[in-house]
Amino acid sequence: MNQKTNEQERLQALKEYDIMDSLPEEDYDNLTSLASQICGTPISLISLLDDKRQWFKSAKGLEVKETPKEYAFCVHTIQNPGEVFIIPDSRKDERFAANPLVTGDPHVIFYAGMPLVDESGHALGSLCVIDDQEHTLTLFQITALKHLAKQVVSLMQLKKKNRDLIAMINGMEQRNVELEEELHLIRRSL
């Protein structure tokens, strides 16, 4: 399968979660707060990528809600869905040195992101931690970031399945009403 088809499938999977531009939720905020505390960074994000932007479902230590996709570190993170992507000092990395997120606010110097991979294998975004100075993570911190990213995905999947279940129940209730009306009409015609 080619890269364009994979990207289209990834975008469709993201759309099915119906999470983009949703309101803040405490469950997600708790996970970003925990990631920031464990990794010792002032910023932690749950970042989701659509075709034009990087949108933050949860942002600890950052007021911005989105950035253009071309500035997103997350674009690089999702290229290897099973691995943590770490940049100890973005100023020394030619891919990021001129990035406005590095040269200006919020001065992303250190970045570590774990892809958010759904059960179909689509990398929808990342759980990342950011610092405005050079930083490293211990093996414990990297492992914790991986586990927290899995929790983000589990939460997304649970919310999606819950929405699907509610829609199915509503459809069944509507069908029951229709059947009751048909039965009532049949009884009246007898």
Side-chain angles (χ1 to χ4, degrees):
M1 200 175 297
N2 67 38
Q3 191 171 356
K4 186 170 184 167
T5 303
N6 284 341
E7 178 65 1
Q8 290 168 341
E9 288 177 3
R10 189 190 73 76
L11 291 171
Q12 182 58 38
L14 178 61
K15 184 177 180 182
E16 290 171 8
Y17 282 94
D18 194 26
I19 193 170
M20 297 296 284
D21 298 311
S22 60
L23 294 173
E25 295 177 64
E26 184 178 5
D27 291 335
Y28 292 102
D29 292 343
N30 289 340
L31 292 169
T32 52
S33 180
L34 193 54
S36 190
Q37 289 173 21
I38 290 170
C39 295
T41 60
I43 298 172
S44 179
L45 307 167
I46 294 174
S47 174
L48 301 165
L49 283 170
D50 66 15
D51 59 332
K52 293 181 178 63
R53 66 195 167 128
Q54 168 180 246
W55 178 77
F56 307 128
K57 173 60 182 166
S58 177
K60 160 92 172 79
L62 189 67
E63 296 299 317
V64 177
K65 295 296 177 198
E66 65 182 56
T67 65
K69 188 175 181 180
E70 59 268 18
Y71 300 155
F73 282 58
C74 190
V75 170
H76 299 273
T77 305
I78 67 171
Q79 299 305 312
N80 295 304
E83 299 176 25
V84 174
F85 181 71
I86 299 176
I87 304 295
D89 187 339
S90 60
R91 299 167 296 189
K92 298 175 183 173
D93 189 311
E94 65 184 33
R95 296 171 293 179
F96 304 107
N99 186 314
L101 300 176
V102 174
T103 60
D105 282 336
H107 299 285
V108 177
I109 305 305
F110 169 78
Y111 172 93
M114 182 64 195
L116 301 174
V117 182
D118 73 1
E119 57 196 355
S120 299
H122 299 105
L124 307 173
S126 73
L127 171 64
C128 64
V129 291
I130 295 169
D131 204 335
D132 60 0
Q133 55 191 332
E134 204 170 334
H135 196 95
T136 58
L137 294 181
T138 66
L139 182 57
F140 169 80
Q141 291 169 320
I142 291 169
T143 301
L145 193 62
K146 288 179 179 181
H147 290 309
L148 289 170
K150 286 181 182 178
Q151 289 303 308
V152 171
V153 174
S154 293
L155 185 57
M156 289 172 60
Q157 290 171 338
L158 181 64
K159 289 180 178 284
K160 179 181 182 232
K161 288 176 182 176
N162 191 43
R163 271 193 319 276
D164 293 347
L165 184 60
I166 290 170
M168 185 175 70
I169 289 170
N170 289 340
M172 291 173 71
E173 287 174 349
Q174 179 60 38
R175 184 64 185 139
N176 280 342
V177 168
E178 292 167 1
L179 289 171
E180 288 289 335
E181 290 172 358
E182 288 177 27
L183 184 59
H184 181 70
L185 289 174
I186 290 170
R187 286 183 179 152
R188 285 183 62 193
S189 67
L190 295 178

